[in-house]
Amino acid sequence: MPTEPCADAPEVGRETRLQLLRLMLLQRYAEERIMSLYRQGRIVGSVYTGYQQEAVGAGAGLALGPDDVALPLNREQACHYARGVPVAHVLRNFLGKATGPTFGRDGNMHFGVPEHGIFPLVSMLGDLCPVAVGAALAFKRRREPRVALTFFGDGAMSTGDVHEAINLAAVLQVPVVFVVQSNQYAYSTPTNRQTVNTNLAERLRGGWSIACERVDGTDALAVYTAARAAIERARAGGGPQAIEAVTLRGHGHAAHDDARYVPSELRERFQDPIERLAARLAADGLAPAEIDAVRQRAREEVAAALDEAEAAPAPDPATLLHGVYADPISS
Amino acid sequence: MPTEPCADAPEVGRETRLQLLRLMLLQRYAEERIMSLYRQGRIVGSVYTGYQQEAVGAGAGLALGPDDVALPLNREQACHYARGVPVAHVLRNFLGKATGPTFGRDGNMHFGVPEHGIFPLVSMLGDLCPVAVGAALAFKRRREPRVALTFFGDGAMSTGDVHEAINLAAVLQVPVVFVVQSNQYAYSTPTNRQTVNTNLAERLRGGWSIACERVDGTDALAVYTAARAAIERARAGGGPQAIEAVTLRGHGHAAHDDARYVPSELRERFQDPIERLAARLAADGLAPAEIDAVRQRAREEVAAALDEAEAAPAPDPATLLHGVYADPISS
Amino acid sequence: MLYIEAIRAALRDALLEDERVFLLGEDIGHFGGAFGVTKGLWEEFGDERVIDTPICEEAFAGAAAGAAWMGERPVVELQFADFISCAFDSIVNVAAKTHWRSGIRLPFVIRAPFGGGVRGGPFHSQCPEGWFIGVAGLKVVCPGSVDDAYGLLRAAIEDDDPVLYFEHKALYRRLDGAAPDRATRTALGKGRIARAGSDATVVTYGAGVDLALRASEGLDVEVLDLRTVWPLDRTLVLESVERTSRVLVLQEPARSSGVAPLVCSLVAEEGFVHLDAPPSIVAPPDTPVPFAPELEDAYLPTPERVRGALEELLAY
Amino acid sequence: MLYIEAIRAALRDALLEDERVFLLGEDIGHFGGAFGVTKGLWEEFGDERVIDTPICEEAFAGAAAGAAWMGERPVVELQFADFISCAFDSIVNVAAKTHWRSGIRLPFVIRAPFGGGVRGGPFHSQCPEGWFIGVAGLKVVCPGSVDDAYGLLRAAIEDDDPVLYFEHKALYRRLDGAAPDRATRTALGKGRIARAGSDATVVTYGAGVDLALRASEGLDVEVLDLRTVWPLDRTLVLESVERTSRVLVLQEPARSSGVAPLVCSLVAEEGFVHLDAPPSIVAPPDTPVPFAPELEDAYLPTPERVRGALEELLAY
Ligand SMILES: Cc1ncc(C[n+]2csc(CCOP(=O)(O)OP(=O)(O)O)c2C)c(N)n1
Ligand SMILES: Cc1ncc(C[n+]2csc(CCOP(=O)(O)OP(=O)(O)O)c2C)c(N)n1
Ligand SMILES: [Mg+2]
Ligand SMILES: [Mg+2]
């Protein structure tokens, strides 16, 4: 099947389209490098990518305002880039560097970037949702026109934390946006073994009484448009909002998982979000060379970032006890 | 407003109606005695009643078959009676007696009766729901035509445990029945501060894709009929079922709470389930004297049970360590 | 002023002095909380400072962290400390680890009414502080006096780390004292000598302080009130044991849980040369907390049991 | 046979021999589990014996309790032991307390892959066993050998109490040994002398056993493998210390958590007169588990660190 361009979204200008493309490419290329470093043993532990889900983090991240805050997960590296996090900073974390966002204390996308309004991923699925609600509660109490946005997967929706958080948000009517990464699988478990109704937007509306639009998660313009609308509704006092972005996890759960359990028929139903946006830009009349230039610049940005990250110092074991407490107790 | 009889339910025979009346009366009279013992300081700690919610425990409990199991809470004393638990056994628990169901180790309705297929209440709201699902899973695995039935309140529905349990039950399609005690309050918190949509049956259908009938919880015949249908659907392989029984908590949350926060307009909307069933029986043609006789026998049963319970021995502190483990480790 | 009133006063003063402070919990608004701790605060401060929540301990503990991230200073009330098990995950993984792994401060407090003696049975009497001993990133305090009920809560709210504040239900109306000054702060991480003495050291906290003082009347025994049970005030304990050469740890959690194992291990490891007798522990047996008075009275430490153990220790 | 294979063999044999046994967890069916422990079992035993669940640790732990109530013997897999925090409430309140307060037996097992050395960082490396030390009604086991990986799991499944079975991720493919006999059972609550010796006692378990044996080569040091960390095999520890007069506790949880505080306090309280030196503890510092190799290697106990501490202890 030929690549189907993103549906046109006239309200999304060319600048934004190009920016979305760039954000997705940064994630794509950074993850390519990460995977190869992992295979070489230069990144240790395990590695999760958001391959072919890049539109979701990019679209939702870019729809946020500068004072909004985000709580992204592993699949949403592009959300970090949308918030202005340098690629090198992300890579420093994968590489366990002292000057990375966790000072080498955690790996992967398990980090926050306080200066960009990003809270660190906590692995326990669901744990970030209550945190997002609390941040939104702070905005509401202080009458600040700010929004907290977080993500959870089809799998995480089965956790108590997600339920409690959404219900709490709905009762308190706080400006929080939940983006559901509905990527057909939680690890090896297909969504229909995770929940009876795999239309999660329907579930969210029916069970928690929050607005939830279901969008094509491989269409960056659609995600961006829906996220923007949700964010602005939340900002305007409309209470919590949700979006279900339907995608397919392009890689296995983590680097070790070949995802053999994903049937090829299913794979065929999902297209690459980057190519879809590129096709849209081409249909818009952008010259192929211009698109190639965007790709090229992103590739160069990642390459330079990797050099920078690899040059960063390793953490000093003597610092291990630093920062366990913000106010250390002397004894 | 004069008492409105229970809606007629032709499929519920007179024996069953009388039995429902008896069960509700046992709870009512037992709780009256419990409250007065509490005020006298002869029951210690705190005391929760199911005043004016008796129809729910009675109706759901009586609808169970002998091999089914139940996991009732504080408000469903009548469910214990429906399962054949002697009133004296219940009272021995409130009185902290050695021969009570917890050997004096726990109070209130916080007890199980293994020989009657009843699991002990765990105070942490929601905790029993997963246990019920697991019991039902055992039945399904073994192809036994048995059902597990449990209860949760409008308040407990906000907990992660309830969400996780219902979703798990729905995915595994196990024979479990959830009875929602929708009694307008969780402690001092009205249901509309607990959740946006106070029609919990709608939420359960929309969010968790399980069948849920909403019934008048002051109508014992309606509860019984709905519970029976749900139980038999579950037994027949229809997967998890729910019922929302709409009532009003007649007393405060516990004995110390005067529930001043319940507006009198709300009180007026709910009638007494016992009087409603008595009115139905009267309308059916049962002589007042016969109804009085049921009341009288229940009162006597409770009085005799209290004598029996009070005569039971107090626990011996030397036994404190017994039974911490089923297989104790000798060391 | 009663212990419970000191807690309320601390909340009120913090609400008055600092806009960033707000309260979050079940039935704490118009109802004033299950134990009445927040009585009157909703009337005085309104819906945005005293916020009733649905029943979702994990979510509102996490929400407190989120608000703290945004610079607020929320104070969460658990209806009973027992329900801290429901918020356990968020406390040990979000609250405890965030600063260490990101530099983000999460200044919030979880208030948890704990302890037995109120005939609450296994689910309304627990002392869960032991679960958090050793959890890096958390601070755990247990006021054992009216002054500390106030001073520790004020200090906890002003602290930049997440603090678990365990308030003893049985002390609410048992301890009475002068109203603490508004400036009272009890430094986190610092215990105090509740009574100086030279023949032995009793290390305790919470309801144990009053109990130890009563049980040791007439003896020349030093009573330490840890105040903060995690991280431990190691110096206080070790210096006292160095002087007295004998130590008894008194706690309300069961023998093998709680604070006693850590304190004992600290004294054994670092104070060994000073010890003239084995460390002694007075604590309930390893069972859940029983309901019936006959059982609970046998379970909990009593002045007689503490006295007996002290006399044995002194006679060693 | 590898440690991981011994676990799989124990599951398989239990499934074969006892209809009541079934497995419950995330991705344990066709995928064979995050670490491949259950590989092949779904193919062999089918959907009703090897059951994939949604992501809901609290619910499936509770469901295991419910099935156990009905006479089944479920074995739950947590994907990582770290996620036990999500099931904490059900474990400490339902699993632990039910028999004591009702006489109902809840024979089920929670398997939890724990421990560091795999560059898992703070959320995929934790040793959470300490949270359950002292929780009356639970049993907690940590196999430190291929034989015990099999024998403890079989015994845990046959036991009438809820058992937490912590299997060390770093041992999965590191420990190799003869295939345990199908009749192998490791009694719960009983440790073993992994190597006899007379100059000091090392108390350890899990990955510590192999580490202690390596670190103490050439020394006349007794190494105890606790196997069951709760309830403790007090007799084994105390008898050994009585013989050796010196004790070192080696554990992977951070210093102030885990098992060491309890073991130390036990030795100090009851073995005091036999001690010729202060008890020594080798454990990581009180921080979360770090990710970067430079940090994790500094954090975890190593043979050198254990050796150093042992030599100090022997020289005391
Ligand atoms: C509470 C909890 N249980 C289990 C895990 C292990 N785990 C990590 S990711 C994952 C699957 C998540 O699926 P989903 O939420 O759909 O997100 P996706 O990976 O598809 O983006 C699992 C089971 C975890 N991190 N937290
Ligand atoms: C997890 C948890 N949080 C708080 C409590 C304290 N508590 C006991 S009952 C109750 C209200 C329950 O409301 P609901 O579920 O509607 O049941 P009802 O009392 O109305 O029957 C609360 C908050 C608890 N038992 N468990
Ligand atoms: Mg998914
Ligand atoms: Mg209610």
Side-chain angles (χ1 to χ4, degrees):
Chain A
M1 192 170 60
T3 298
E4 199 185 323
C6 292
D8 198 15
E11 66 284 18
V12 186
R14 172 162 296 189
E15 267 315 290
T16 304
R17 294 175 188 221
L18 285 169
Q19 179 67 341
L20 287 167
L21 183 65
R22 174 179 163 267
L23 296 171
M24 292 196 288
L25 287 166
L26 288 179
Q27 175 168 355
R28 176 71 53 90
Y29 296 146
E31 288 184 347
E32 281 174 12
R33 304 305 289 257
I34 287 163
M35 288 294 275
S36 84
L37 288 166
Y38 178 76
R39 277 188 228 101
Q40 297 160 30
R42 286 159 69 204
I43 285 177
V44 296
S46 66
V47 155
Y48 313 84
T49 74
Y51 181 60
Q52 294 189 329
Q53 296 179 234
E54 296 91 343
V56 185
L62 196 62
L64 286 168
D67 293 331
D68 296 336
V69 297
L71 303 87
L73 306 176
N74 279 310
R75 317 283 180 214
E76 295 95 22
Q77 202 173 111
C79 177
H80 287 259
Y81 301 134
R83 306 284 304 156
V85 178
V87 179
H89 208 44
V90 171
L91 295 175
R92 280 192 293 264
N93 204 63
F94 278 88
L95 290 162
K97 297 297 195 177
T99 50
T102 64
F103 332 113
R105 292 170 176 189
D106 206 340
N108 273 289
M109 297 300 299
H110 299 174
F111 62 85
V113 194
E115 62 277 25
H116 291 281
I118 295 178
F119 194 85
L121 187 163
V122 171
S123 289
M124 288 66 197
L125 293 165
D127 275 22
L128 291 186
C129 288
V131 179
V133 174
L137 175 59
F139 301 152
K140 179 171 174 170
R141 265 175 33 80
R142 300 190 304 226
R143 295 185 169 53
E144 292 173 359
R146 300 168 68 187
V147 169
L149 180 143
T150 190
F151 299 82
F152 62 82
D154 45 287
M157 191 168 164
S158 302
T159 66
D161 279 58
V162 169
H163 162 69
E164 291 190 0
I166 301 178
N167 184 60
L168 180 62
V171 168
L172 300 180
Q173 287 290 298
V174 296
V176 62
V177 176
F178 301 100
V179 179
V180 189
Q181 280 277 20
S182 200
N183 65 355
Q184 315 308 314
Y185 284 89
Y187 213 142
S188 75
T189 304
T191 309
N192 66 4
R193 301 274 313 169
Q194 193 72 236
T195 175
V196 168
N197 183 1
T198 59
N199 186 318
L200 305 181
E202 271 178 21
R203 291 189 64 203
L204 287 165
R205 291 191 295 260
W208 290 267
S209 314
I210 64 171
C212 184
E213 193 178 337
R214 191 171 215 238
V215 299
D216 181 342
T218 66
D219 181 335
L221 303 184
V223 173
Y224 173 80
T225 309
R228 193 153 184 126
I231 290 164
E232 296 317 323
R233 278 195 306 274
R235 200 187 306 286
Q241 310 287 326
I243 296 164
E244 180 187 4
V246 181
T247 60
L248 176 66
R249 198 188 61 208
H251 284 156
H253 172 65
H256 69 276
D257 170 18
D258 61 14
R260 244 181 304 186
Y261 47 80
V262 178
S264 52
E265 309 85 74
L266 187 61
R267 291 218 177 275
E268 280 155 25
R269 281 182 24 216
F270 291 88
Q271 296 197 333
D272 186 75
I274 293 178
E275 297 316 318
R276 290 197 63 190
L277 183 54
R280 175 79 261 159
L281 285 162
D284 289 349
L286 200 70
E290 286 194 67
I291 295 175
D292 285 346
V294 177
R295 291 188 205 262
Q296 189 51 29
R297 276 195 303 275
R299 210 176 269 118
E300 285 163 13
E301 189 173 340
V302 168
L306 184 54
D307 289 342
E308 187 188 337
E310 294 204 282
D316 175 356
T319 63
L320 202 50
L321 277 153
H322 298 179
V324 169
Y325 294 96
D327 277 344
I329 281 168
S330 56
S331 184
Chain B
M1 193 171 62
T3 300
E4 200 184 323
C6 292
D8 199 12
E11 67 283 17
V12 186
R14 171 162 299 188
E15 267 314 290
T16 303
R17 293 175 190 221
L18 285 170
Q19 180 65 342
L20 287 167
L21 184 64
R22 176 178 161 266
L23 297 171
M24 293 197 288
L25 287 166
L26 288 179
Q27 174 168 354
R28 177 70 54 88
Y29 296 146
E31 289 184 347
E32 280 175 10
R33 304 304 288 257
I34 288 162
M35 289 292 276
S36 84
L37 288 166
Y38 178 76
R39 277 187 229 102
Q40 296 161 31
R42 286 158 68 202
I43 287 177
V44 296
S46 67
V47 155
Y48 313 85
T49 74
Y51 181 60
Q52 295 191 327
Q53 295 179 235
E54 296 90 344
V56 185
L62 196 62
L64 287 167
D67 293 332
D68 296 336
V69 298
L71 302 87
L73 305 177
N74 279 309
R75 316 282 180 214
E76 296 95 23
Q77 202 174 111
C79 176
H80 286 258
Y81 300 136
R83 306 285 304 155
V85 178
V87 179
H89 208 45
V90 172
L91 294 175
R92 279 192 295 263
N93 205 63
F94 277 88
L95 289 162
K97 297 297 193 176
T99 51
T102 64
F103 332 113
R105 291 167 178 192
D106 207 340
N108 272 291
M109 297 301 299
H110 299 173
F111 62 85
V113 194
E115 63 276 24
H116 291 281
I118 296 178
F119 195 85
L121 187 163
V122 171
S123 289
M124 287 68 198
L125 292 165
D127 275 23
L128 291 186
C129 288
V131 179
V133 173
L137 175 60
F139 301 152
K140 178 171 176 170
R141 266 176 31 82
R142 302 191 304 226
R143 296 184 170 54
E144 292 174 357
R146 299 166 69 185
V147 169
L149 180 143
T150 191
F151 300 81
F152 62 82
D154 46 286
M157 191 167 164
S158 302
T159 67
D161 279 58
V162 168
H163 163 69
E164 291 190 1
I166 300 178
N167 184 60
L168 180 62
V171 167
L172 299 179
Q173 287 289 299
V174 296
V176 61
V177 176
F178 301 100
V179 179
V180 189
Q181 280 276 20
S182 200
N183 66 356
Q184 314 308 315
Y185 284 89
Y187 212 142
S188 74
T189 305
T191 309
N192 66 3
R193 299 276 312 171
Q194 193 72 237
T195 176
V196 168
N197 181 0
T198 59
N199 185 320
L200 306 180
E202 271 178 23
R203 292 188 64 201
L204 287 165
R205 291 191 295 260
W208 290 266
S209 313
I210 64 170
C212 185
E213 192 178 338
R214 191 172 216 238
V215 299
D216 181 341
T218 66
D219 180 335
L221 301 183
V223 173
Y224 174 80
T225 307
R228 194 157 183 123
I231 290 165
E232 296 318 323
R233 278 196 305 274
R235 200 188 305 288
Q241 311 287 326
I243 297 164
E244 181 188 4
V246 181
T247 60
L248 175 66
R249 197 189 62 208
H251 284 155
H253 172 64
H256 68 276
D257 169 19
D258 61 13
R260 244 181 303 184
Y261 48 79
V262 178
S264 52
E265 310 83 75
L266 186 61
R267 291 219 176 275
E268 279 154 24
R269 281 181 26 217
F270 291 88
Q271 295 197 334
D272 186 74
I274 293 178
E275 296 316 317
R276 289 198 64 190
L277 183 54
R280 175 79 260 158
L281 285 162
D284 289 348
L286 198 71
E290 288 193 68
I291 296 174
D292 283 348
V294 178
R295 292 188 204 261
Q296 187 52 28
R297 277 195 302 275
R299 209 174 271 118
E300 284 163 13
E301 190 174 338
V302 169
L306 184 54
D307 289 342
E308 187 188 335
E310 293 206 282
D316 174 357
T319 62
L320 202 51
L321 278 153
H322 298 179
V324 168
Y325 294 97
D327 278 343
I329 282 168
S330 55
S331 184
Chain C
M1 178 176 269
L2 296 173
Y3 181 93
I4 189 171
E5 292 167 337
I7 300 171
R8 187 184 308 129
L11 293 173
R12 180 167 182 270
D13 291 347
L15 284 162
L16 282 171
E17 292 173 23
D18 188 345
E19 266 301 316
R20 301 170 303 175
V21 174
F22 68 93
L23 316 185
L24 203 59
E26 294 155 12
D27 307 294
I28 63 170
H30 68 87
F31 191 71
F35 293 96
V37 173
T38 59
K39 266 228 157 76
L41 299 179
W42 174 77
E43 288 79 354
E44 183 171 358
F45 296 98
D47 266 346
E48 294 196 349
R49 308 291 303 278
V50 184
I51 305 176
D52 271 340
T53 63
I55 301 170
C56 52
E57 284 76 9
E58 170 82 356
F60 60 72
W69 172 35
M70 291 296 101
E72 307 282 74
R73 302 208 158 235
V75 182
V76 165
E77 172 174 306
L78 297 177
Q79 214 151 65
F80 282 80
D82 305 70
F83 308 137
I84 206 162
S85 54
C86 305
F88 189 79
D89 174 49
S90 185
I91 294 171
V92 301
N93 286 313
V94 180
K97 300 187 173 78
T98 295
H99 185 264
W100 184 79
R101 50 193 289 277
S102 71
I104 291 174
R105 301 180 167 212
L106 297 181
F108 72 100
V109 178
I110 298 184
R111 288 181 38 239
F114 78 137
V118 297
R119 312 313 185 197
F123 300 119
H124 293 78
S125 310
Q126 293 176 76
C127 290
E129 61 273 26
W131 287 326
F132 305 98
I133 302 292
V135 177
L138 293 181
K139 294 172 180 166
V140 184
V141 304
C142 303
S145 68
V146 172
D147 242 41
D148 284 349
Y150 185 93
L152 277 175
L153 186 47
R154 293 300 308 266
I157 294 172
E158 290 169 7
D159 195 78
D160 279 340
D161 291 302
V163 181
L164 308 182
Y165 175 96
F166 288 97
E167 51 195 60
H168 203 293
K169 299 191 292 284
L171 299 185
Y172 275 153
R173 292 175 175 83
R174 188 195 296 160
L175 292 191
D176 203 352
D181 188 274
R182 248 177 119 126
T184 304
R185 300 290 182 276
T186 307
L188 302 193
K190 298 286 170 213
R192 69 176 175 119
I193 299 177
R195 192 189 51 224
S198 17
D199 294 343
T201 300
V202 179
V203 180
T204 191
Y205 62 94
V209 180
D210 181 53
L211 179 57
L213 290 173
R214 282 186 287 135
S216 58
E217 259 169 34
L219 302 176
D220 188 9
V221 157
E222 181 145 306
V223 175
L224 303 185
D225 174 358
L226 288 173
R227 293 167 150 170
T228 295
V229 297
W230 174 252
L232 272 184
D233 187 345
R234 305 155 48 90
T235 314
L236 179 77
V237 172
L238 291 171
E239 281 180 5
S240 175
V241 172
E242 186 174 338
R243 276 185 282 106
T244 65
S245 302
R246 285 178 160 75
V247 66
L248 180 148
V249 188
L250 164 63
Q251 70 172 13
E252 196 181 312
R255 163 65 184 88
S256 302
S257 60
V259 179
L262 183 62
V263 172
C264 256
S265 77
L266 171 73
V267 171
E269 202 187 10
E270 302 192 20
F272 185 76
V273 293
H274 305 297
L275 285 179
D276 287 343
S280 166
I281 295 179
V282 177
D286 286 318
T287 73
V289 188
F291 162 71
E294 296 82 357
L295 298 177
E296 196 182 23
D297 291 343
Y299 173 90
L300 290 173
T302 59
E304 298 70 43
R305 266 165 231 146
V306 177
R307 181 75 178 206
L310 262 179
E311 284 170 356
E312 240 180 77
L313 179 66
L314 293 171
Y316 185 93
Chain D
M1 177 175 271
L2 296 174
Y3 182 93
I4 189 172
E5 292 167 338
I7 300 172
R8 186 184 307 128
L11 292 173
R12 180 166 182 271
D13 292 346
L15 284 162
L16 282 171
E17 292 173 24
D18 189 344
E19 267 300 318
R20 300 170 302 175
V21 174
F22 68 94
L23 315 185
L24 204 58
E26 292 155 13
D27 306 294
I28 62 170
H30 69 89
F31 191 72
F35 293 95
V37 174
T38 59
K39 262 223 160 84
L41 299 180
W42 175 77
E43 288 79 354
E44 182 172 356
F45 296 98
D47 266 346
E48 293 196 349
R49 307 292 301 281
V50 184
I51 305 177
D52 271 342
T53 63
I55 301 170
C56 52
E57 285 75 9
E58 170 83 355
F60 60 72
W69 171 36
M70 291 296 101
E72 307 283 75
R73 299 206 161 239
V75 182
V76 165
E77 172 174 306
L78 298 177
Q79 213 150 66
F80 283 80
D82 306 71
F83 308 138
I84 206 162
S85 54
C86 304
F88 189 78
D89 174 49
S90 185
I91 294 171
V92 301
N93 286 312
V94 180
K97 299 187 174 77
T98 294
H99 185 265
W100 184 78
R101 51 193 288 279
S102 72
I104 291 174
R105 300 178 169 214
L106 297 181
F108 73 99
V109 177
I110 297 183
R111 288 181 38 239
F114 77 138
V118 297
R119 314 311 185 198
F123 300 119
H124 293 78
S125 311
Q126 294 177 75
C127 291
E129 62 273 25
W131 286 327
F132 305 98
I133 302 291
V135 177
L138 294 180
K139 293 172 180 167
V140 184
V141 305
C142 303
S145 69
V146 173
D147 243 41
D148 285 349
Y150 185 92
L152 276 175
L153 186 47
R154 293 300 308 266
I157 294 172
E158 290 170 5
D159 195 78
D160 280 340
D161 289 303
V163 181
L164 308 182
Y165 175 96
F166 287 96
E167 51 196 61
H168 202 292
K169 299 191 294 284
L171 299 185
Y172 275 153
R173 293 175 174 83
R174 187 195 297 160
L175 293 191
D176 203 350
D181 188 274
R182 247 177 119 126
T184 304
R185 300 290 182 277
T186 307
L188 302 193
K190 298 285 168 214
R192 69 179 176 118
I193 300 177
R195 191 188 53 223
S198 20
D199 294 345
T201 300
V202 178
V203 181
T204 191
Y205 62 94
V209 179
D210 181 53
L211 179 58
L213 288 173
R214 283 186 288 135
S216 59
E217 259 169 35
L219 301 178
D220 187 8
V221 157
E222 180 145 306
V223 175
L224 302 186
D225 174 358
L226 288 173
R227 293 166 150 173
T228 295
V229 297
W230 173 252
L232 273 185
D233 187 345
R234 305 155 49 90
T235 313
L236 179 78
V237 173
L238 291 172
E239 281 180 4
S240 175
V241 172
E242 186 174 337
R243 276 185 282 106
T244 65
S245 302
R246 284 177 161 74
V247 66
L248 180 149
V249 188
L250 165 63
Q251 70 171 14
E252 198 181 311
R255 163 64 183 89
S256 302
S257 60
V259 179
L262 184 62
V263 172
C264 256
S265 76
L266 171 73
V267 171
E269 202 187 11
E270 302 192 21
F272 185 76
V273 291
H274 305 297
L275 286 179
D276 286 344
S280 167
I281 295 179
V282 177
D286 287 317
T287 75
V289 188
F291 162 72
E294 296 82 358
L295 297 178
E296 195 182 23
D297 292 343
Y299 173 90
L300 290 174
T302 59
E304 299 68 45
R305 267 165 231 145
V306 178
R307 182 75 177 204
L310 261 178
E311 284 170 357
E312 239 180 78
L313 178 66
L314 292 170
Y316 186 90

